[in-house]
Amino acid sequence: MATAWEELVSTARRTVTDGLVVGTSGNVSVRVGDTVLVTPTGVPYDRLKPSDAVGVDLDGRQVLGSLRPTSELPMHLTVYRETDARAVVHTHAAHATAVSTLVPELPLIHYMAGAVGGPVRVAPYATYGTPELAANVLRALDGRAACLLQNHGTLAHGASLDQAYDRTTQLEWMCRVWLLASSVPGLAPTLLSPGQLDEAGERLRGYGQRD
């Protein structure tokens, strides 16, 4: 549990260092057995200590620590209960948030969309921290490992904190590429077809080193 908390805090600090969140916005969680470790609400990540660990069960009952968990706890727990996620990263990344205000789905600007299961959907807006937002996110995640939150930010999950974070940064990069390409007057970006994305997705499943 101590190692998982250390990794969670390190990941949360990366979101600030890499410019994916400002201040205490965004949140990170990781599942250890039936306990979900989460960042606490309103506490700057650079101040978090080993003794600040916060954990809840899958019903949201606090089982570890005295600090209050993130206000987005309903969203995190919904993802854990309904998917095979072991880690969740939520950010307010600027380019992704901008895209979430423009389209209902990120256009297929790059084949890395295949790494999160296909075209990235935008979850309709709902007030942060509410069951409504959690339900909207879950629908947007159907068959996907990441989504955008309208006028809000991003959410990505994975088998580990590293994978969830990598998916987050890839999503922000794709959003930035689409915004850049779309900003050229008189030109529209070339997009991939669903077939091209499917082919790339198949290749991505075998990408990297094998044990």
Side-chain angles (χ1 to χ4, degrees), residues 31-114:
R31 181 173 177 175
V32 183
D34 290 329
T35 298
V36 177
L37 299 178
V38 296
T39 48
T41 185
V43 180
Y45 300 143
D46 60 357
R47 298 182 191 173
L48 290 175
K49 307 180 297 295
S51 59
D52 292 329
V54 176
V56 300
D57 65 19
L58 292 173
D59 293 319
R61 292 184 291 265
Q62 190 154 349
V63 296
L64 179 65
S66 58
L67 295 177
R68 290 170 52 212
T70 173
S71 57
E72 294 289 13
L73 186 61
M75 184 169 66
H76 286 255
L77 293 181
T78 295
V79 173
Y80 286 116
R81 287 194 294 259
E82 302 297 334
T83 75
D84 60 357
R86 307 301 296 184
V88 174
V89 175
H90 165 53
T91 79
H92 292 181
H95 297 94
T97 302
V99 169
S100 79
T101 70
L102 298 172
V103 291
E105 182 178 278
L106 175 64
L108 290 177
I109 194 70
H110 197 274
Y111 65 78
M112 283 305 293

Side-chain angles (χ1 to χ4, degrees), residues 155-174:
L155 183 139
H157 67 76
S160 66
L161 282 165
D162 281 343
Q163 186 178 56
Y165 190 79
D166 288 346
R167 286 170 169 169
T168 299
T169 56
Q170 288 286 355
L171 177 54
E172 169 68 354
W173 179 82
M174 286 190 291

Side-chain angles (χ1 to χ4, degrees), residues 71-72 75 90-92 96-105 121-140 147-154:
S71 57
E72 294 289 13
M75 184 169 66
H90 165 53
T91 79
H92 292 181
T97 302
V99 169
S100 79
T101 70
L102 298 172
V103 291
E105 182 178 278
R121 307 183 188 102
V122 178
Y125 182 81
T127 304
Y128 79 91
T130 61
E132 182 184 2
L133 177 59
N136 291 349
V137 165
L138 186 62
R139 284 191 291 271
C147 69
L148 301 177
L149 285 61
Q150 189 178 54
N151 295 83
H152 188 155
T154 71

